Amino acid sequence: MNSSLFKKSQLKKLCAIVGCKPYEIEYITDHIDEYYAEWFEKKTNKLTGELKRYKDGTIKERAIRPSLKQLKVIQSAIKNKILAPIPLPHNIHGGVKGRNNITNAKPHQGNKYQFTTDLQDFYPSISSTHVYTTFLLLGFSDHFSHWLTKLTTWKYELPQGTPTSTHIANLVFLETDKKLITLCELHKLTYTRYVDDLTFSSPQDFRPFLNDILSIINDGGFNISYRKTKYKGNQSVTGIEIFNNFIDAPNKIKVKAAVEHLLNDKVKPYSSYLERIRKTNKNVKK
């Protein structure tokens, strides 16, 4: 089979999986700008509520780029039928069915020393070339990888706000994850990742290994946010308070849950969330 015929066969294969026609994908990829919205959100400090700024005073912004119309439908099919079935290590919790910020925090319970950090501009730092290369490494053909990349990236990067982006980000970061897991197993550290939030912990002081952790992340082509990098005990991990014998919600969630009960609200999202967290504890702490 020559290259042209193979390319067409790979497109047909993709269409059979996601449930569309080749001409639909060709039209969408040729008119890709019509299938995305775009707006910018100002970044705020979660602790102070103040706007984040660069050194020159410019306000930091985050580009939100959700997919639209038929492209969003196709991306959902790609996520469910192609990406989600790819197994990921148990250390990865964001964007994985049955895992969440609570399951991400729970493994660190009881560990005195905790190191948390955040990947800087995680989605926009992942280029379309990164995505294409990742698909090739996963065993997809060059043409199949080409169509997948065209359908899941925009403006030469991974857009934030689409059905496929978190799954793809997990796959792109997978090689770095594996190196971090190997290092942590060697030194008996606990490691979890929730999208761009990385947490490491241990009963013993592991400060001497922090440079090794950071080197692995940097060698993978990623940068960390030093403002969000902390090494201490009993800190918040993906919005969950970690203690020796239990985990709990932060005070602001507890207050909102209490208000729901006082007002006798029919829908109690904060109370439900608090209950989910506390159900993980053998001895519930009030």
Side-chain angles (χ1 to χ4, degrees):
M1 184 181 295
N2 63 39
S3 178
S4 177
L5 290 175
F6 182 65
K7 184 175 182 179
K8 289 181 179 179
S9 72
Q10 291 297 285
L11 177 56
K12 289 180 179 179
K13 177 182 176 181
L14 176 60
C15 289
I17 294 172
V18 302
C20 65
K21 302 294 184 182
Y23 73 84
E24 292 179 286
I25 286 183
E26 290 175 332
Y27 181 87
I28 289 171
T29 54
D30 285 343
H31 302 81
I32 197 68
D33 290 349
E34 299 176 11
Y35 291 86
Y36 281 97
E38 181 179 48
W39 66 84
F40 294 86
E41 292 182 353
K42 292 180 173 58
K43 295 184 178 181
T44 58
N45 186 309
K46 292 180 181 178
L47 296 177
T48 66
E50 295 179 353
L51 294 174
K52 295 180 184 178
R53 297 178 183 273
Y54 292 102
K55 290 182 179 180
D56 64 0
T58 305
I59 296 173
K60 294 183 178 181
E61 294 183 324
R62 176 187 297 106
I64 307 299
R65 293 165 173 162
S67 50
L68 306 171
K69 301 178 285 189
Q70 186 64 14
L71 176 60
K72 185 175 181 178
V73 174
I74 291 172
Q75 287 178 343
S76 294
I78 290 173
K79 179 191 74 172
N80 294 327
K81 298 181 179 181
I82 298 176
L83 304 178
I86 299 173
L88 295 171
H90 70 272
N91 311 69
I92 302 170
H93 294 260
V96 180
K97 187 176 181 180
R99 305 180 200 173
N100 49 49
N101 66 312
I102 301 172
T103 62
N104 179 77
K106 190 68 177 179
H108 303 282
Q109 177 184 309
N111 286 345
K112 180 179 179 180
Y113 298 91
Q114 298 163 12
F115 175 59
T116 57
T117 190
D118 178 274
L119 299 172
Q120 193 171 49
D121 297 325
F122 188 36
Y123 290 103
S125 71
I126 297 175
S127 69
S128 54
T129 301
H130 281 127
V131 174
Y132 175 73
T133 301
T134 296
F135 287 141
L136 290 178
L137 290 172
L138 288 169
F140 297 116
S141 73
D142 53 351
H143 293 304
F144 198 86
S145 299
H146 163 80
W147 289 114
L148 281 179
T149 302
K150 292 278 284 185
L151 289 166
T152 58
T153 61
W154 189 43
K155 295 187 174 181
Y156 305 104
E157 64 187 40
L158 196 61
Q160 186 163 347
T162 73
T164 48
S165 286
T166 299
H167 286 74
I168 292 173
N170 280 340
L171 294 170
V172 171
F173 200 77
L174 186 55
E175 290 304 309
T176 301
D177 275 321
K178 290 178 179 178
K179 293 177 182 178
L180 291 172
I181 290 168
T182 298
L183 176 72
C184 291
E185 288 178 346
L186 178 64
H187 299 296
K188 297 181 179 179
L189 308 179
T190 299
Y191 165 59
T192 63
R193 179 171 63 81
Y194 185 76
V195 191
D196 57 355
D197 290 314
L198 284 68
T199 304
F200 306 81
S201 68
S202 173
Q204 308 297 325
D205 186 356
F206 61 98
R207 191 181 295 272
F209 307 124
L210 298 187
N211 284 337
D212 294 332
I213 290 171
L214 296 176
S215 292
I216 289 174
I217 296 170
N218 290 331
D219 289 346
F222 301 93
N223 297 314
I224 68 165
S225 172
Y226 284 94
R227 185 184 61 80
K228 296 181 180 179
T229 299
K230 300 176 183 177
Y231 182 72
K232 63 179 183 179
N234 291 341
Q235 61 174 301
S236 175
V237 173
T238 52
I240 306 294
E241 301 294 333
I242 308 293
F243 301 97
N244 285 337
N245 300 312
F246 66 100
I247 65 173
D248 209 350
N251 286 333
K252 62 181 180 180
I253 298 296
K254 296 176 190 175
V255 170
K256 290 178 179 179
V259 171
E260 287 176 342
H261 282 290
L262 286 172
L263 297 178
N264 198 26
D265 291 343
K266 291 183 178 179
V267 180
K268 300 177 180 178
Y270 294 105
S271 300
S272 176
Y273 179 56
L274 181 59
E275 183 180 357
R276 284 169 52 210
I277 295 171
R278 289 179 168 175
K279 273 185 177 180
T280 69
N281 303 320
K282 291 182 180 180
N283 297 310
V284 178
K285 301 290 181 177
K286 299 290 185 180

